[in-house]
Amino acid sequence: RVEIEGNCKTLQFAATELRRCLDLLPDQKGNGCIRLSVVCDSDTHPYDDAISIDVTAGAGTITGPNPRSVLIGVYRYLQELGCQFLFPGKTGEVFPQTICLPGSKVKIEDRPRNRYRGICIEGSNRVETLLDVIDFLPKLGFNCYFTQFQQSHTFFKWWYRHTRHPELEDSTPYPIEEAEKNLSRVVEEITKRD
């Protein structure tokens, strides 16, 4: 069982991800409850991440000073259980075939060295690939993704019009409205993890 304190989109997403991944582990029986919550003091800057994990036998807490930190903590907990996030997309997720959750104990207090940990859109980009990358970033402990220009039109155009490809280049203009639609999807996924 997973519970959250508060009605925040990112905490709800963190709980959904924790449930999804725990359901993929073998023999997950028990009455334990993992509580996800934001715990911070007045000195904590909203951009600073930290995680606190204290879970024994599938029961305990995962906390952080902001919802994004809690999400990062969820993935860290799963990694401590043996889950691996090797590359973007669901095919990059590897779950252990054997695990003894009743015998597990994960206790971690951690704070990243750098406030900003992320990547920037570059090259030619397919929107589905970007969505997979955005999903992957908090699994690595990253906390930001930077889109360039007003609608990232150039990067989408290069992919969807095969710019500079000698055999596939399409000279049809790539509509700005299409780039705006793609960027809107990207921002929605980023917001879910903020």
mmCIF file of all heavy atoms in Angstrom, residues 8-11 13 67-68 71 134 184-194:
data_model
loop_
_atom_site.group_PDB
_atom_site.id
_atom_site.type_symbol
_atom_site.label_atom_id
_atom_site.label_comp_id
_atom_site.label_asym_id
_atom_site.label_seq_id
_atom_site.Cartn_x
_atom_site.Cartn_y
_atom_site.Cartn_z
ATOM 1 N N CYS A 8 -1.015 16.757 -4.387
ATOM 2 C CA CYS A 8 -0.091 17.332 -5.350
ATOM 3 C C CYS A 8 0.065 16.365 -6.531
ATOM 4 O O CYS A 8 0.209 15.153 -6.331
ATOM 5 C CB CYS A 8 1.247 17.558 -4.651
ATOM 6 S SG CYS A 8 2.607 17.869 -5.745
ATOM 7 N N LYS A 9 0.065 16.896 -7.744
ATOM 8 C CA LYS A 9 0.167 16.065 -8.948
ATOM 9 C C LYS A 9 1.450 15.227 -8.956
ATOM 10 O O LYS A 9 1.435 14.052 -9.324
ATOM 11 C CB LYS A 9 0.122 16.962 -10.191
ATOM 12 C CG LYS A 9 0.097 16.182 -11.484
ATOM 13 C CD LYS A 9 0.209 17.080 -12.703
ATOM 14 C CE LYS A 9 -1.025 17.905 -12.899
ATOM 15 N NZ LYS A 9 -1.060 18.579 -14.201
ATOM 16 N N THR A 10 2.556 15.819 -8.525
ATOM 17 C CA THR A 10 3.827 15.085 -8.536
ATOM 18 C C THR A 10 3.829 13.966 -7.499
ATOM 19 O O THR A 10 4.314 12.866 -7.777
ATOM 20 C CB THR A 10 5.013 16.043 -8.324
ATOM 21 O OG1 THR A 10 4.967 17.039 -9.346
ATOM 22 C CG2 THR A 10 6.338 15.324 -8.382
ATOM 23 N N LEU A 11 3.273 14.199 -6.322
ATOM 24 C CA LEU A 11 3.186 13.139 -5.316
ATOM 25 C C LEU A 11 2.262 12.019 -5.795
ATOM 26 O O LEU A 11 2.549 10.840 -5.569
ATOM 27 C CB LEU A 11 2.696 13.680 -3.980
ATOM 28 C CG LEU A 11 3.701 14.490 -3.164
ATOM 29 C CD1 LEU A 11 3.055 14.978 -1.867
ATOM 30 C CD2 LEU A 11 4.955 13.696 -2.859
ATOM 31 N N PHE A 13 1.780 11.185 -8.888
ATOM 32 C CA PHE A 13 2.550 10.465 -9.901
ATOM 33 C C PHE A 13 3.581 9.559 -9.226
ATOM 34 O O PHE A 13 3.758 8.404 -9.639
ATOM 35 C CB PHE A 13 3.224 11.452 -10.854
ATOM 36 C CG PHE A 13 4.050 10.788 -11.904
ATOM 37 C CD1 PHE A 13 3.459 10.068 -12.928
ATOM 38 C CD2 PHE A 13 5.431 10.859 -11.864
ATOM 39 C CE1 PHE A 13 4.224 9.427 -13.893
ATOM 40 C CE2 PHE A 13 6.207 10.234 -12.831
ATOM 41 C CZ PHE A 13 5.600 9.514 -13.852
ATOM 42 N N PRO A 67 7.986 17.962 -3.759
ATOM 43 C CA PRO A 67 7.446 16.756 -4.400
ATOM 44 C C PRO A 67 8.418 16.091 -5.374
ATOM 45 O O PRO A 67 8.475 14.862 -5.458
ATOM 46 C CB PRO A 67 6.206 17.279 -5.131
ATOM 47 C CG PRO A 67 5.788 18.490 -4.361
ATOM 48 C CD PRO A 67 7.082 19.110 -3.892
ATOM 49 N N ARG A 68 9.184 16.875 -6.105
ATOM 50 C CA ARG A 68 10.164 16.327 -7.052
ATOM 51 C C ARG A 68 11.170 15.434 -6.321
ATOM 52 O O ARG A 68 11.527 14.356 -6.795
ATOM 53 C CB ARG A 68 10.870 17.479 -7.765
ATOM 54 C CG ARG A 68 12.005 17.098 -8.672
ATOM 55 C CD ARG A 68 12.735 18.325 -9.183
ATOM 56 N NE ARG A 68 13.309 19.114 -8.107
ATOM 57 C CZ ARG A 68 12.916 20.349 -7.776
ATOM 58 N NH1 ARG A 68 11.962 20.951 -8.438
ATOM 59 N NH2 ARG A 68 13.483 20.985 -6.781
ATOM 60 N N LEU A 71 9.675 12.062 -5.584
ATOM 61 C CA LEU A 71 9.693 11.213 -6.778
ATOM 62 C C LEU A 71 11.082 10.615 -6.993
ATOM 63 O O LEU A 71 11.223 9.410 -7.247
ATOM 64 C CB LEU A 71 9.252 12.001 -8.014
ATOM 65 C CG LEU A 71 9.313 11.258 -9.347
ATOM 66 C CD1 LEU A 71 8.376 10.051 -9.352
ATOM 67 C CD2 LEU A 71 8.986 12.212 -10.494
ATOM 68 N N ILE A 134 12.214 12.494 -20.679
ATOM 69 C CA ILE A 134 11.702 13.231 -19.517
ATOM 70 C C ILE A 134 11.289 12.257 -18.415
ATOM 71 O O ILE A 134 11.538 12.501 -17.232
ATOM 72 C CB ILE A 134 10.552 14.158 -19.936
ATOM 73 C CG1 ILE A 134 11.128 15.318 -20.755
ATOM 74 C CG2 ILE A 134 9.766 14.666 -18.737
ATOM 75 C CD1 ILE A 134 10.120 16.055 -21.584
ATOM 76 N N SER A 184 3.702 21.393 -25.836
ATOM 77 C CA SER A 184 2.689 21.323 -24.785
ATOM 78 C C SER A 184 2.696 19.940 -24.119
ATOM 79 O O SER A 184 2.597 19.827 -22.892
ATOM 80 C CB SER A 184 1.318 21.632 -25.386
ATOM 81 O OG SER A 184 0.325 21.501 -24.421
ATOM 82 N N ARG A 185 2.840 18.894 -24.903
ATOM 83 C CA ARG A 185 2.928 17.532 -24.355
ATOM 84 C C ARG A 185 4.178 17.382 -23.495
ATOM 85 O O ARG A 185 4.140 16.769 -22.423
ATOM 86 C CB ARG A 185 2.942 16.503 -25.478
ATOM 87 C CG ARG A 185 1.618 16.359 -26.190
ATOM 88 C CD ARG A 185 1.681 15.381 -27.337
ATOM 89 N NE ARG A 185 1.968 14.026 -26.882
ATOM 90 C CZ ARG A 185 2.340 13.043 -27.694
ATOM 91 N NH1 ARG A 185 2.480 13.256 -28.988
ATOM 92 N NH2 ARG A 185 2.592 11.838 -27.217
ATOM 93 N N VAL A 186 5.292 17.943 -23.961
ATOM 94 C CA VAL A 186 6.551 17.880 -23.225
ATOM 95 C C VAL A 186 6.410 18.596 -21.884
ATOM 96 O O VAL A 186 6.778 18.059 -20.831
ATOM 97 C CB VAL A 186 7.703 18.475 -24.074
ATOM 98 C CG1 VAL A 186 8.934 18.729 -23.230
ATOM 99 C CG2 VAL A 186 8.024 17.566 -25.256
ATOM 100 N N VAL A 187 5.863 19.793 -21.905
ATOM 101 C CA VAL A 187 5.698 20.584 -20.679
ATOM 102 C C VAL A 187 4.762 19.876 -19.699
ATOM 103 O O VAL A 187 4.997 19.865 -18.487
ATOM 104 C CB VAL A 187 5.209 22.015 -21.011
ATOM 105 C CG1 VAL A 187 4.779 22.757 -19.765
ATOM 106 C CG2 VAL A 187 6.297 22.782 -21.751
ATOM 107 N N GLU A 188 3.718 19.247 -20.211
ATOM 108 C CA GLU A 188 2.788 18.503 -19.347
ATOM 109 C C GLU A 188 3.515 17.387 -18.605
ATOM 110 O O GLU A 188 3.309 17.183 -17.403
ATOM 111 C CB GLU A 188 1.655 17.921 -20.197
ATOM 112 C CG GLU A 188 0.619 17.182 -19.415
ATOM 113 C CD GLU A 188 -0.480 16.620 -20.316
ATOM 114 O OE1 GLU A 188 -0.783 17.240 -21.356
ATOM 115 O OE2 GLU A 188 -1.030 15.565 -19.963
ATOM 116 N N GLU A 189 4.392 16.671 -19.296
ATOM 117 C CA GLU A 189 5.145 15.589 -18.658
ATOM 118 C C GLU A 189 6.190 16.130 -17.677
ATOM 119 O O GLU A 189 6.414 15.531 -16.627
ATOM 120 C CB GLU A 189 5.809 14.699 -19.717
ATOM 121 C CG GLU A 189 4.817 13.855 -20.482
ATOM 122 C CD GLU A 189 3.984 12.951 -19.600
ATOM 123 O OE1 GLU A 189 4.560 12.226 -18.765
ATOM 124 O OE2 GLU A 189 2.744 12.961 -19.744
ATOM 125 N N ILE A 190 6.798 17.249 -18.014
ATOM 126 C CA ILE A 190 7.765 17.871 -17.082
ATOM 127 C C ILE A 190 7.035 18.293 -15.806
ATOM 128 O O ILE A 190 7.506 18.044 -14.700
ATOM 129 C CB ILE A 190 8.463 19.085 -17.740
ATOM 130 C CG1 ILE A 190 9.400 18.609 -18.864
ATOM 131 C CG2 ILE A 190 9.216 19.910 -16.704
ATOM 132 C CD1 ILE A 190 9.948 19.733 -19.720
ATOM 133 N N THR A 191 5.878 18.916 -15.967
ATOM 134 C CA THR A 191 5.104 19.405 -14.827
ATOM 135 C C THR A 191 4.690 18.274 -13.896
ATOM 136 O O THR A 191 4.659 18.433 -12.679
ATOM 137 C CB THR A 191 3.865 20.178 -15.323
ATOM 138 O OG1 THR A 191 4.289 21.215 -16.192
ATOM 139 C CG2 THR A 191 3.077 20.770 -14.181
ATOM 140 N N LYS A 192 4.421 17.131 -14.461
ATOM 141 C CA LYS A 192 4.029 15.961 -13.664
ATOM 142 C C LYS A 192 5.160 15.532 -12.723
ATOM 143 O O LYS A 192 4.932 14.893 -11.705
ATOM 144 C CB LYS A 192 3.691 14.820 -14.617
ATOM 145 C CG LYS A 192 2.914 13.698 -13.998
ATOM 146 C CD LYS A 192 2.773 12.508 -14.923
ATOM 147 C CE LYS A 192 2.030 12.768 -16.183
ATOM 148 N NZ LYS A 192 1.869 11.551 -17.012
ATOM 149 N N ARG A 193 6.392 15.916 -13.076
ATOM 150 C CA ARG A 193 7.574 15.476 -12.318
ATOM 151 C C ARG A 193 8.247 16.631 -11.565
ATOM 152 O O ARG A 193 9.367 16.493 -11.113
ATOM 153 C CB ARG A 193 8.577 14.834 -13.282
ATOM 154 C CG ARG A 193 8.077 13.553 -13.857
ATOM 155 C CD ARG A 193 8.778 13.162 -15.134
ATOM 156 N NE ARG A 193 8.294 11.888 -15.625
ATOM 157 C CZ ARG A 193 7.175 11.741 -16.342
ATOM 158 N NH1 ARG A 193 6.434 12.797 -16.664
ATOM 159 N NH2 ARG A 193 6.777 10.554 -16.735
ATOM 160 N N ASP A 194 7.566 17.746 -11.430
ATOM 161 C CA ASP A 194 8.189 18.923 -10.819
ATOM 162 C C ASP A 194 7.930 18.968 -9.329
ATOM 163 O O ASP A 194 7.015 19.385 -8.791
ATOM 164 C CB ASP A 194 7.668 20.197 -11.490
ATOM 165 C CG ASP A 194 8.394 21.424 -11.005
ATOM 166 O OD1 ASP A 194 9.530 21.307 -10.556
ATOM 167 O OD2 ASP A 194 7.810 22.506 -11.087
#
